[in-house]
């Protein structure tokens, strides 16, 4: 069923669906398995419920979240109203600035796929007394997965893709939050990313060992040792960001995030695509504006300016490649206001398009202002007037 078909379906069948929900006999359908690429390589498995199940999950979420969210930890920021990844990063920065210069970076191994249903339902049952709701939530957890036309069982995990899963994951990990609070730790958690900030390497190693044992014993969750570490924040990343060293740490874009950005821009600006410059800029802008909306939160503006320069150079290389021959290049350069000597020197140069993209001739022909007039977005914040 498509999203557009849901409203007519509800108009016709809602009395029967409502009766099933009130009787406790409603049976969720299997989720559809979808794989999407992860930012750190590999794939992430999603479980997409049917449109009707998503609708019902959303209704349950809106009631339960209003009741549960105020009880969650102040150190938790993921999937919560009026909380964001930027707030989590800023809180981490505060802990580092206060002298907690070692981070215990905890990565939970396949958290969403490994959640124990019995433990989770036990936590739900402490907050929900209506057995129909308990049965409905367990039904969503055990609905099964449709893969290649075949339905398989789901004996653990909360499928990423349903509206209710983030709330259930926060309920599960609130047990960890409360334990860390009881121990008096400074920490920040965003979904299954949890960073604890301590003052020494030795303290960090003790925390790592004790938290790992706690997770295994009480939540039956496993720490991914290959991705977890006790280290200085400058060597780790948190939600795409890292921090500079020194008494006043600044937010910077993590090297892995910069590498992904450059890789995506390279894809969008391949010189063999054959699209017009205006079309390339239009497609590129969609990515740049979204990326800037998140990573513009960094406090290292020189990095953003360097990225802008690199993007403009790639666009100049595209145009140089498209102009192809020496005579065409000379004529185009002259038309763009480049002097005859400089235009002839560039047009006759044996250098490749990337080398020539940095030449004075192309800097004049495709100036920053001309690229801006074509609508090119910037990832750097504008300079104050």
């Amino acid at each position: 069923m498509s999203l557009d078909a849901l409203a007519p379906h509800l108009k016709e069948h809602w009395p029967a669906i409502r009766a099933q929900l009130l009787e406790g006999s409603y049976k969720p359908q299997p989720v559809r398995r979808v794989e999407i690429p992860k930012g750190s390589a590999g794939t992430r498995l999603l479980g997409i419920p049917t449109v009707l199940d998503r609708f019902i999950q959303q209704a349950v979420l809106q009631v339960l979240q209003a009741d549960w969210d105020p009880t969650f930890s102040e150190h938790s920021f993921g999937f919560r109203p009026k909380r964001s990844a930027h707030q989590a990063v800023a809180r981490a920065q505060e802990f580092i600035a206060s002298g907690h210069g070692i981070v215990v970076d905890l990565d939970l191994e396949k958290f969403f796929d490994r959640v124990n249903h019995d433990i989770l339902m036990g936590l739900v049952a402490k907050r929900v007394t209506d057995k129909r709701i308990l049965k409905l939530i367990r039904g969503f957890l055990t609905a099964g997965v449709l893969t290649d036309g075949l339905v398989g069982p789901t004996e653990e995990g909360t499928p990423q893709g349903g509206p209710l899963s983030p709330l259930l994951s926060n309920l599960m990990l609130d047990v960890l939050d409360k334990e860390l609070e009881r121990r008096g730790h400074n920490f920040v958690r965003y979904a299954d990313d949890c960073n604890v900030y301590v003052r020494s390497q030795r303290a960090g190693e003790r925390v790592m060992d004790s938290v790992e044992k706690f997770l295994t014993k009480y939540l039956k969750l496993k720490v991914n040792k290959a991705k977890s570490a006790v280290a200085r924040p400058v060597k780790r990343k948190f939600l795409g960001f890292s921090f500079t060293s020194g008494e006043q740490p600044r937010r910077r874009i993590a090297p892995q995030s910069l590498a992904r950005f450059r890789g995506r821009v390279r894809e969008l600006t391949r010189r063999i695509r054959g699209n017009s410059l205006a079309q390339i800029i239009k497609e590129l802008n969609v990515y740049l504006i979204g990326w800037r909306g998140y990573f513009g939160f960094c406090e290292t503006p020189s990095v953003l300016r360097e990225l802008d320069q690199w993007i403009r150079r790639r666009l100049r290389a595209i145009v140089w490649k498209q102009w192809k021959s020496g005579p065409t290049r000379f004529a185009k350069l002259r038309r763009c206001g480049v002097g005859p000597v400089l235009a002839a020197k560039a047009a006759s140069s044996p250098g490749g398009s990337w080398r020539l993209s940095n030449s004075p001739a192309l800097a004049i022909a495709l100036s920053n202002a001309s690229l801006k007039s074509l609508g090119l977005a910037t990832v750097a914040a504008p300079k104050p007037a």
Side-chain angles (χ1 to χ4, degrees):
M1 184 189 300
S2 68
L3 188 61
D4 291 337
L6 177 62
H9 178 81
L10 290 175
K11 285 181 181 178
E12 183 178 352
H13 298 285
W14 180 246
I17 297 169
R18 181 177 181 273
Q20 290 174 13
L21 290 167
L22 291 173
E23 293 166 4
S25 61
Y26 181 85
K27 188 175 181 180
Q29 297 298 303
V31 298
R32 180 166 58 91
R33 174 66 75 218
V34 175
E35 294 186 13
I36 61 171
K38 290 176 68 174
S40 55
T43 58
R44 188 185 303 280
L45 298 178
L46 300 185
I48 310 299
T50 64
V51 172
L52 178 58
D53 283 344
R54 289 207 301 275
F55 171 76
I56 294 172
Q57 281 196 34
Q58 182 65 31
V60 174
L61 170 70
Q62 288 176 199
V63 175
L64 295 185
Q65 187 166 54
D67 186 39
W68 296 1
D69 192 78
T71 71
F72 289 158
S73 170
E74 282 297 306
H75 298 268
S76 162
F77 293 87
F79 309 127
R80 297 183 60 188
K82 299 179 182 180
R83 286 177 168 254
S84 68
H86 285 173
Q87 291 174 334
V89 172
R91 180 70 62 84
Q93 186 179 12
E94 290 172 9
F95 288 142
I96 299 166
S98 68
H100 297 80
I102 296 293
V103 60
V104 182
D105 187 354
L106 291 161
D107 185 278
L108 299 180
E109 190 171 287
K110 297 183 178 178
F111 167 72
F112 287 93
D113 300 327
R114 297 275 174 85
V115 168
N116 183 284
H117 288 173
D118 291 335
I119 293 175
L120 176 57
M121 289 308 302
L123 295 170
V124 175
K126 290 180 180 179
R127 296 169 178 256
V128 175
T129 56
D130 192 323
K131 292 183 179 179
R132 295 168 299 179
I133 295 295
L134 294 175
K135 184 178 179 182
L136 180 63
I137 292 175
R138 186 175 278 276
F140 284 127
L141 293 174
T142 60
V145 179
L146 178 66
T147 307
D148 297 328
L150 298 174
V151 176
T154 47
E155 297 173 349
E156 61 180 3
T158 103
Q160 292 187 75
L164 202 51
S165 289
L167 179 64
L168 295 177
S169 70
N170 269 333
L171 178 65
M172 187 81 163
L173 290 176
D174 190 58
V175 177
L176 172 63
D177 295 343
K178 294 299 193 288
E179 176 63 17
L180 293 175
E181 286 179 348
R182 188 187 69 79
R183 297 180 185 184
H185 288 310
N186 294 306
F187 71 97
V188 182
R189 184 178 65 78
Y190 190 96
D192 56 339
D193 285 332
C194 184
N195 281 1
V196 185
Y197 294 90
V198 296
R199 293 184 182 275
S200 70
Q201 182 75 19
R202 191 172 178 180
E205 289 168 359
R206 284 199 304 269
V207 170
M208 174 69 82
D209 183 60
S210 63
V211 170
E212 184 178 354
K213 290 176 180 176
F214 176 85
L215 288 168
T216 302
K217 181 177 180 179
Y218 292 100
L219 297 179
K220 289 183 168 48
L221 294 172
K222 188 177 180 182
V223 171
N224 186 331
K225 292 187 177 181
K227 293 184 178 180
S228 301
V230 177
R232 294 199 174 277
V234 69
K235 295 183 178 179
R236 305 298 294 176
K237 69 179 179 70
F238 181 53
L239 302 177
F241 291 91
S242 184
F243 301 93
T244 61
S245 56
E247 293 183 3
Q248 295 298 323
R250 290 179 296 152
R251 299 183 296 269
R252 67 186 183 102
I253 303 169
Q256 301 93 320
S257 302
L258 286 173
R260 285 198 295 273
F261 173 82
R262 287 179 178 273
R264 182 60 180 142
V265 170
R266 285 190 182 99
E267 290 177 11
L268 293 168
T269 57
R270 284 179 297 161
R271 293 192 285 279
I272 59 172
R273 294 186 71 193
N275 293 348
S276 68
L277 185 62
Q279 180 62 31
I280 292 170
I281 288 175
K282 183 179 179 181
E283 294 175 10
L284 184 61
N285 278 353
V286 173
Y287 179 68
L288 295 182
I289 292 169
W291 190 89
R292 180 184 64 195
Y294 184 75
F295 286 103
F297 187 59
C298 78
E299 295 175 315
T300 50
S302 61
V303 174
L304 300 180
R305 290 194 293 270
E306 288 170 7
L307 290 175
D308 272 340
Q309 292 170 4
W310 175 72
I311 291 167
R312 290 192 293 264
R313 185 174 175 184
R314 287 196 65 82
L315 294 176
R316 289 173 183 133
I318 289 173
V319 172
W320 193 249
K321 186 84 171 178
Q322 289 177 345
W323 287 349
K324 294 182 180 178
S325 67
T328 300
R329 288 169 172 171
F330 178 80
K332 293 280 190 181
L333 289 172
R334 290 290 292 132
R335 200 172 301 156
C336 291
V338 180
V341 175
L342 196 57
K345 183 179 178 181
S348 61
S349 172
S353 55
W354 179 246
R355 180 183 168 188
L356 268 295
S357 66
N358 206 31
S359 67
L362 271 178
I364 295 171
L366 288 170
S367 65
N368 295 357
S370 66
L371 290 173
K372 184 179 179 180
S373 70
L374 290 172
L376 178 63
T378 174
V379 296
K383 292 182 179 179

